[in-house]
């Protein structure tokens, strides 16, 4: 087995109490501090760790830790403010097993340091090819046993007198992921409490000059009715706007929870250090001139983050607008904008301050209130991942909106968002849809997998609903915050005119809703309620002169009708219509149903009408298309909330060792593309069948190969530089004899000018041609694709992407979503193909590229699908050294550039 050198982490993480801890690899310079750690713990701790009271044993052990980290040995330390408070070590004891040990300072117990150390030690071990940790724990060491159970790994405890032999797998399966999520959520919520729910705030840089940023922030805090203590910091004033002002942060009368910094960029590091010394826990850095301004600004931002990490300060910004919390017990507007402080249940994160300001102003006009708003700017520290964790725990936040220009640790984002989306809708705008362009066409899959496609795949995995505009996010938020989610797609449209109703029906269908056909009984009841109705078929036209009381009766009928999951009303103001009375009746109906009701006042004012007896509102739209699209988003969320939580179950009949050996041998020989024989062996190691084939160098060897395989055969050019073989005349099919093979060799030689070989293949039975592929995106990691294959792979845009590894249900959804999917079920008399076999190959490819990170591109094209199964007719695999992607299964914060961590 090849043993790779372990990673040498240097990261910051959040302790369970919300404070920060630094974790890194041990160096020889740490020996004095490690001796101090062991000498400071109690005799009891020494006994539990070494099964002996001998301090000499502990000293000798510490001395052994000075050797460099290898694939067989790793030691990590945890430090707070430069003091080493924890140590975790593994020593390899077999091909895939290592013995672990852990020690935490007595005064730092119960802060989550032990679990953090073991999380990162396990990550390093997995990278080094270790799959199991083993160890011995005294049976009386309840604290250590509790730490091990808290990790959530599959663990086995075997009693041996007064010792428990411990063994646990390092694969982060469901129980371990749930445990990780619980720790992560609680720690991040505690860490961000001083930022989002402060009890005291100081504005650094607040002055008396009208229009200055610092003064405006302080004025907003005061005018917004902040319930806590407020201070200003400015050496030139004794008070600002009636608030006491102090010359520097270290002179503040209390260690405030939150500072808002509005001073020139060069002054920030020293001021933030003074804040840290004073005990400040959170900072909002409004100032620009950092990472967005070039290399010098990025270096300054790095130094600011280093100070924040040193003192355990959570930092928002720099280059941001600020934060808002409308909770009645907080009422914080720490921004320099003029924002409405309308209380509500929508939380917004924005990388663009201008986006956030515009959205909140427009939301207030439409009646949408917010719970919290955070402008993250350059997101040096606090990121979308942090805020998702905080808002998951916030009872006031029901819907989350995000404007993102970049996603840092995309895999971690997907893991967190998937859990949060099961409870609360997440709407996201990701800018930059068209700027990335397409990848170079090294393979069909890679050419299709633009960065925007990768982002869509990540959002789909995460359960995040991607919207394309501020308007779409506003519309969707109005329905999601104030109306129940529809239980199904059935929508009933009720209005007073035909044209807008038809437009609404078209828009509803385009949004994925089902415009129902009403049953005879419901239509009969509607005729009884409104005899003058122009039409009682969906969309229902009650007529221009319909009375408000008749609207109420009709709505009651349709809300009780079978199959109706949502109602969209579309009314146009006419001279004989009392619009206000109509909306009042619609609101009364909406208040007494568990189904969503959305109103449209065509050409009227967008507004929200309070529903009597509830805390909800009726969203009123100006046009039916917007209302229908918003209902469609609500239905999409109901599917996300109700989706199956099946785990990823990788195939068990695979040979991972054989696959690794193939790719490592190829890379060692400087090969970047596997040859056809290597491809066949690689796919075979994961149970993926390829057509019988042989490589030939000339006409004689091609004939010999064809004789061995059996006629008829196909002859193809074999050269890694050729992606589209048919385009260069490099394919001949149905060759029935040796003469045909020789003629085909001559034809291909004449058509293909670059050096090449030949691939002789058994002709496959006719069937549906698909492509299954995979590509490793630099940000989201491995993705898999399925789509129309053969010569249609590039001609027809009919494909679906998802992140790997793949749940079986998601694989089935990908296949079912293709326009060509109907061909698999038999089309115009053709036999149905084995759809389950297609899904199985898709899951196996996803497992292969997840478990063999050296694969950067893979194409199976075509995959011929027949009633008897599937077979790969052509395949290409591109290799590269495995990328250094952050581990999504450990907790770590974004760290300065000289360190390796990411958020």
């Amino acid at each position: 087995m090849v043993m790779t050198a372990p990673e040498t982490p240097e990261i910051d993480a959040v302790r369970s109490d919300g404070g920060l801890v630094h974790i890194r690899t041990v160096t020889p310079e740490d020996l004095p501090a490690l001796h101090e750690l062991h000498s400071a713990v109690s005799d009891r701790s020494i006994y539990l760790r070494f099964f002996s009271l001998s301090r000499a044993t502990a000293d000798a052990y510490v001395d052994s830790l000075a050797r460099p980290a290898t694939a067989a040995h790793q030691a990590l330390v945890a430090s707070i403010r430069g003091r080493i408070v924890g140590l975790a070590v593994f020593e390899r004891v077999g091909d895939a097993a290592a013995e672990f040990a852990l020690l935490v300072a007595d005064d730092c117990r119960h802060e989550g340091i032990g679990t953090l150390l073991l999380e990162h030690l396990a990550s390093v071990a997995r990278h080094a090819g270790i799959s199991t940790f083993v160890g011995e724990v005294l049976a009386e060491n309840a604290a250590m046993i509790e730490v091990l159970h808290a990790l959530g790994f599959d663990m086995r405890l075997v009693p041996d007198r007064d010792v428990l032999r411990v063994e646990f797998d390092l694969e982060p399966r469901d129980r371990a992921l749930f445990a990780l999520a619980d720790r992560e959520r609680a720690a991040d919520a505690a860490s961000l409490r001083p930022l989002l729910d402060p009890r005291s705030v100081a504005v650094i840089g607040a002055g008396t000059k009208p229009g200055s940023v610092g003064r405006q922030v302080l004025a907003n805090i005061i005018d917004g009715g902040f319930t806590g203590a407020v201070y200003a910091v400015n050496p030139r004033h004794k008070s600002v706007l009636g608030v006491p002002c102090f010359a520097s942060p270290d002179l503040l009368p209390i260690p405030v929870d939150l500072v808002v910094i509005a001073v020139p960029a060069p002054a920030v590091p020293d001021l933030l250090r003074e804040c840290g010394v004073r005990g400040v826990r959170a900072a909002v850095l409004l100032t620009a001139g950092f990472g967005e301004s070039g290399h010098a600004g990025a270096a300054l931002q790095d130094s600011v983050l280093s100070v924040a990490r040193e003192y355990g300060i959570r930092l928002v910004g720099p280059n941001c607008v600020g934060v808002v919390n409308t909770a009645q017990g907080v009422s914080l507007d720490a921004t320099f904008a003029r924002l409405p402080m309308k209380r509500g249940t929508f939380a917004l994160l924005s990388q663009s301050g201008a986006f956030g300001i515009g959205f909140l102003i427009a939301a207030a006009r439409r009646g949408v209130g917010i719970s919290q708003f955070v402008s993250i700017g350059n997101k040096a520290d606090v990121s979308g991942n942090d805020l998702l964790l905080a808002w998951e725990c916030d009872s006031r936040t029901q819907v989350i909106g995000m404007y993102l220009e970049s996603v840092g640790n995309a895999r971690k984002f997907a893991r967190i968002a998937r859990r949060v989306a099961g409870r609360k809708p997440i709407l996201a705008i990701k800018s930059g849809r068209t700027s990335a362009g397409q990848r170079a066409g090294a393979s069909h899959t890679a050419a299709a997998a633009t960065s925007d496609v990768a982002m869509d795949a990540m959002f789909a995995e995460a359960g995040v609903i991607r919207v394309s505009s501020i308007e779409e996010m506003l519309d969707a938020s109005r329905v999601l915050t104030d109306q129940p989610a529809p239980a199904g797609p059935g929508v009933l449209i009720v209005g007073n005119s035909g044209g807008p109703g038809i437009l609404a029906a078209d828009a509803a269908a385009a949004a994925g809703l089902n415009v129902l056909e009403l049953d005879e009984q419901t239509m009969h009841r509607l005729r009884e309620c409104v005899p003058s109705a122009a039409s009682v078929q969906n969309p229902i036209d009650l007529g221009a002169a319909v009375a408000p009381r008749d609207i109420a009766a009709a709505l009651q009928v349709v809300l009780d009708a079978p199959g109706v999951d949502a109602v969209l009303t579309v009314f146009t103001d006419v001279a004989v219509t009392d619009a206000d009375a109509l909306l009042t009746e619609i609101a009364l109906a909406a208040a007494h149903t568990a189904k969503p009701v959305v109103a449209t006042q065509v050409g009227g004012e967008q507004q929200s009408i309070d529903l009597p007896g509830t805390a909800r509102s009726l969203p009123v739209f100006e046009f039916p298309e917007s209302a229908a699209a918003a209902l469609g988003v609500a239905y999409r969320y109901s599917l996300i909330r109700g989706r199956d939580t099946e785990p990823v179950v990788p195939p068990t009949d695979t040979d991972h060792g054989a696959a690794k050996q193939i790719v490592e041998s190829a890379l060692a020989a400087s090969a970047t593309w596997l040859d056809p024989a290597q491809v066949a062996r690689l796919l075979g190691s994961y149970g993926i069948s390829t057509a019988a084939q042989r490589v030939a160098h000339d006409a004689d060897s091609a004939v010999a190969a064809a004789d061995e395989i059996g006629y008829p055969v196909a002859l193809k050019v074999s050269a890694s530089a050729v992606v589209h073989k048919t385009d260069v005349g490099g394919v001949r099919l149905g060759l029935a004899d040796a003469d045909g093979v020789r003629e085909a060799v001559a034809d291909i030689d004449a058509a293909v000018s670059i050096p090449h070989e030949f691939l002789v293949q058994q002709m496959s039975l006719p069937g549906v041609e698909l492509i299954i592929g995979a590509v490793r995106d630099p940000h989201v990691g491995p993705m898999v694709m399925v789509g129309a294959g053969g010569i249609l792979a590039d001609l027809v845009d009919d494909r679906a992407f998802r992140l790997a590894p793949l749940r079986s249900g998601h694989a089935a959804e990908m296949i079912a979503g293709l326009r060509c999917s109907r061909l698999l079920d038999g089309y115009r008399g053709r036999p149905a193909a084995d759809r389950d076999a297609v899904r199985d190959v898709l899951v196996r490819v996803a497992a292969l590229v997840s478990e063999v990170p050296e694969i950067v591109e893979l194409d199976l094209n075509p995959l011929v699908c027949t009633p008897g199964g599937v077979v790969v007719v052509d395949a290409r695999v591109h290799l590269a050294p495995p990328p250094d992607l952050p581990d999504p299964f450990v907790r770590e914060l974004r760290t300065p550039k000289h360190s390796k961590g990411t958020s």
Side-chain angles (χ1 to χ4, degrees):
M1 176 180 179
V2 176
M3 295 185 183
T4 58
E7 296 176 323
T8 54
E10 183 168 356
I11 60 92
D12 297 291
V14 182
R15 309 194 307 265
S16 59
D17 64 352
L20 303 187
V21 63
H22 190 68
I23 296 175
R24 59 173 175 78
T25 303
V26 167
T27 67
E29 291 75 22
D30 292 323
L31 286 185
L34 289 172
H35 279 293
E36 184 178 343
L37 169 67
H38 285 77
S39 64
V41 299
S42 66
D43 288 344
R44 170 84 176 155
S45 295
I46 289 294
Y47 170 69
L48 293 176
R49 166 64 185 88
F50 294 101
F51 300 7
S52 163
L53 288 174
S54 171
R55 296 278 176 173
T57 300
D59 289 340
Y61 173 74
V62 169
D63 289 337
S64 73
L65 300 177
R67 65 191 192 277
T70 67
H73 160 79
Q74 176 67 285
L76 302 179
V77 291
S79 63
I80 300 175
R81 298 288 305 277
R83 176 198 165 201
I84 290 180
V85 296
L87 170 69
V89 182
F90 75 65
E91 305 288 349
R92 200 174 204 123
V93 294
D95 282 347
E99 186 174 12
F100 74 96
L102 175 69
L103 180 70
V104 176
D106 291 347
D107 61 338
C108 293
R109 303 279 174 82
H110 310 297
E111 295 180 7
I113 294 172
T115 50
L116 278 167
L117 277 169
L118 287 177
E119 280 177 24
H120 286 274
L121 193 71
S123 176
V124 174
R126 287 193 296 267
H127 182 82
I130 295 169
S131 59
T132 305
F133 272 174
V134 298
E136 293 184 344
V137 180
L138 286 171
E140 61 188 281
N141 193 350
M144 183 64 180
I145 295 170
E146 181 181 350
V147 167
L148 296 177
H149 276 298
L151 287 171
F153 290 115
D154 293 338
M155 185 169 64
R156 294 163 293 282
L157 296 174
V158 180
D160 184 6
R161 299 183 182 179
D162 58 349
V163 172
L164 295 175
R165 300 189 183 280
V166 180
E167 180 178 328
F168 57 92
D169 297 328
L170 301 183
E171 183 66 26
R173 304 189 192 281
D174 283 353
R175 183 169 168 268
L177 292 179
F178 290 144
L180 171 69
D182 286 342
R183 295 192 299 272
E184 186 174 48
R185 179 172 49 233
D188 257 60
S191 174
L192 295 186
R193 196 168 292 121
L195 168 72
L196 301 176
D197 189 16
R199 295 294 177 260
S200 52
V201 178
V203 181
I204 302 177
T208 58
K209 181 180 178 181
S212 64
V213 170
R215 178 187 171 91
Q216 185 62 51
V217 173
L218 186 60
N220 285 354
I221 292 172
I222 297 168
D223 296 343
F226 178 59
T227 58
V230 184
Y231 304 97
V233 176
N234 190 321
R236 292 190 292 272
H237 304 288
K238 296 298 182 183
S239 71
V240 179
L241 297 176
V243 169
C245 187
F246 299 87
S248 60
D250 57 319
L251 296 177
L252 286 166
I254 61 172
V256 296
D257 286 338
L258 173 65
V259 294
V260 182
I261 303 175
V263 300
V268 171
D270 289 340
L271 281 170
L272 192 62
R273 185 174 298 279
E274 292 179 22
C275 291
V277 171
R278 189 66 185 94
V280 172
R281 294 285 303 279
V284 174
L285 180 49
L286 307 178
T287 311
F290 289 93
E292 81 286 357
S293 63
H295 294 300
L300 184 60
Q301 180 171 307
D302 214 31
S303 66
V304 169
L305 183 55
S306 294
V307 174
R309 289 287 178 263
E310 180 182 353
Y311 289 95
I313 297 172
R314 297 309 308 270
L315 178 69
V316 168
N319 188 29
C320 70
V321 169
V323 299
V324 171
N325 185 345
T326 65
Q328 198 149 10
V330 182
S331 295
L332 174 69
D333 178 2
T335 73
F336 58 87
R338 290 182 173 87
L339 298 175
M341 287 283 285
K342 180 175 174 58
R343 293 190 173 96
T345 59
F346 186 84
L348 177 66
L349 167 157
S350 179
Q351 272 187 261
S352 164
F355 175 96
I357 293 169
F359 182 95
L360 295 182
I361 292 172
R365 284 203 299 263
R366 289 163 170 79
V368 177
I370 65 164
S371 56
Q372 296 181 23
F373 162 61
V374 180
S375 165
I376 58 175
N378 294 1
K379 61 173 186 175
D381 174 23
V382 173
S383 67
N385 292 345
D386 295 300
L387 291 167
L388 282 177
L389 291 166
W391 288 338
E392 182 182 10
C393 303
D394 180 32
S395 60
R396 293 179 61 246
T397 296
Q398 295 180 11
V399 181
I400 297 169
M402 312 180 82
Y403 172 80
L404 303 170
E405 294 171 355
S406 63
V407 178
N409 188 337
R411 287 266 162 169
K412 182 177 179 180
F413 175 89
R415 172 175 62 78
I416 294 171
R418 179 176 175 82
R419 186 185 68 250
V420 176
R423 299 174 55 192
K424 302 179 180 185
I426 303 173
L427 306 174
I429 295 177
K430 169 63 176 68
S431 60
R433 277 188 178 272
T434 60
S435 62
Q438 286 198 318
R439 301 167 186 264
S443 66
H444 298 281
T445 307
T450 65
S451 60
D452 197 61
V453 166
M455 199 56 56
D456 278 338
M458 189 268 288
F459 282 149
E461 172 66 22
V464 173
I465 299 174
R466 187 173 186 178
V467 295
S468 58
S469 66
I470 296 177
E471 191 77 19
E472 190 178 351
M473 181 179 281
L474 273 170
D475 291 343
S477 68
R478 298 177 66 199
V479 175
L480 289 166
T481 56
D482 280 324
Q483 291 295 306
V491 64
L492 209 294
I493 299 165
V494 182
N496 66 347
S497 57
I502 294 171
L503 290 175
D506 289 343
L513 300 172
N514 178 21
V515 182
L516 296 168
E517 292 187 16
L518 285 177
D519 61 284
E520 289 294 336
Q521 182 180 0
T522 299
M523 290 191 291
H524 177 72
R525 291 181 63 195
L526 283 170
R527 284 286 184 197
E528 290 182 332
C529 291
V530 191
S532 60
S535 173
V536 291
Q537 293 184 336
N538 195 14
I540 299 167
D541 180 1
L542 298 178
V546 63
R549 66 178 180 275
D550 293 339
I551 291 287
L555 286 175
Q556 190 57 57
V557 169
V558 299
L559 284 167
D560 291 340
V564 174
D565 300 302
V567 172
L568 171 58
T569 66
V570 184
F571 287 90
T572 305
D573 287 351
V574 294
V576 294
T577 299
D578 184 341
D580 290 340
L582 289 179
L583 289 175
T584 298
E585 293 298 337
I586 296 169
L588 284 171
H592 294 92
T593 181
K595 299 176 181 179
V597 177
V598 174
T600 305
Q601 188 176 12
V602 180
E605 179 185 356
Q606 298 205 64
Q607 57 179 309
S608 294
I609 300 174
D610 291 340
L611 298 182
T614 77
R616 299 184 290 115
S617 299
L618 172 72
V620 182
F621 290 85
E622 185 179 8
F623 298 113
E625 295 89 346
S626 301
L631 260 182
V633 172
Y635 172 59
R636 285 167 61 190
Y637 176 65
S638 70
L639 295 176
I640 291 168
R641 188 176 63 179
R643 66 186 174 183
D644 190 2
T645 56
E646 64 164 324
V648 174
V649 181
T652 56
D653 57 340
T654 61
D655 190 342
H656 176 251
K660 288 289 287 184
Q661 185 176 25
I662 292 167
V663 299
E664 287 173 354
S665 297
L667 286 173
S670 300
T672 56
W673 289 91
L674 294 184
D675 64 38
Q678 291 170 320
V679 170
R681 294 203 311 274
L682 177 69
L683 296 177
S685 69
Y686 270 69
I688 301 170
S689 299
T690 57
Q693 62 185 31
R694 300 290 185 275
V695 176
H697 307 290
D698 52 25
D700 289 340
S701 58
V703 169
D707 289 342
E708 182 182 353
I709 291 173
Y711 295 97
V713 297
L715 187 75
K716 304 175 183 179
V717 62
S718 179
S720 61
V722 178
V723 178
H724 307 94
K725 296 180 176 64
T726 54
D727 289 356
V728 298
V731 178
R732 297 293 184 274
L733 303 177
L735 306 177
D737 52 33
D739 290 341
V741 171
R742 292 184 184 278
E743 183 179 347
V745 167
D747 289 345
I748 292 175
D749 276 338
V752 180
S753 59
I754 63 173
H756 60 273
E757 294 180 314
F758 302 93
L759 189 65
V760 183
Q761 281 186 330
Q762 183 182 44
M763 283 294 297
S764 62
L765 295 173
V768 178
E769 293 188 350
L770 297 179
I771 179 173
I772 288 179
V775 64
R776 183 171 296 279
D777 182 85
H779 302 293
V780 307
M783 299 188 296
V784 288
M785 181 193 82
V786 62
I791 62 173
L792 299 180
D794 295 324
L795 183 64
V796 178
D797 184 12
D798 187 19
R799 56 179 75 97
F801 281 87
R802 289 297 286 260
L803 299 190
L806 199 59
R807 293 167 176 82
S808 179
H810 288 172
E813 289 174 9
M814 291 172 68
I815 298 165
L818 299 175
R819 297 193 300 278
C820 67
S821 175
R822 293 175 57 193
L823 298 176
L824 295 173
D825 300 322
Y827 188 70
R828 294 189 175 178
R830 296 184 180 182
D834 188 343
R835 186 182 287 256
D836 288 342
V838 179
R839 185 185 70 236
D840 181 64
V841 171
L842 192 53
V843 170
R844 289 177 183 274
V845 167
L848 172 61
V849 296
S850 297
E851 296 169 8
V852 185
E854 293 85 354
I855 298 174
V856 292
E857 296 176 33
L858 179 150
D859 268 355
L860 311 182
N861 181 43
L863 178 78
V864 178
C865 312
T866 68
V870 297
V871 62
V872 177
V873 173
D874 204 354
R876 292 162 53 82
V877 177
H878 187 197
L879 305 179
D884 184 18
L885 291 176
D887 188 339
F889 304 120
V890 296
R891 294 175 287 158
E892 56 183 295
L893 297 175
R894 185 184 305 276
T895 54
K897 298 295 184 184
H898 62 264
S899 190
K900 296 176 65 174
T902 55
S903 170

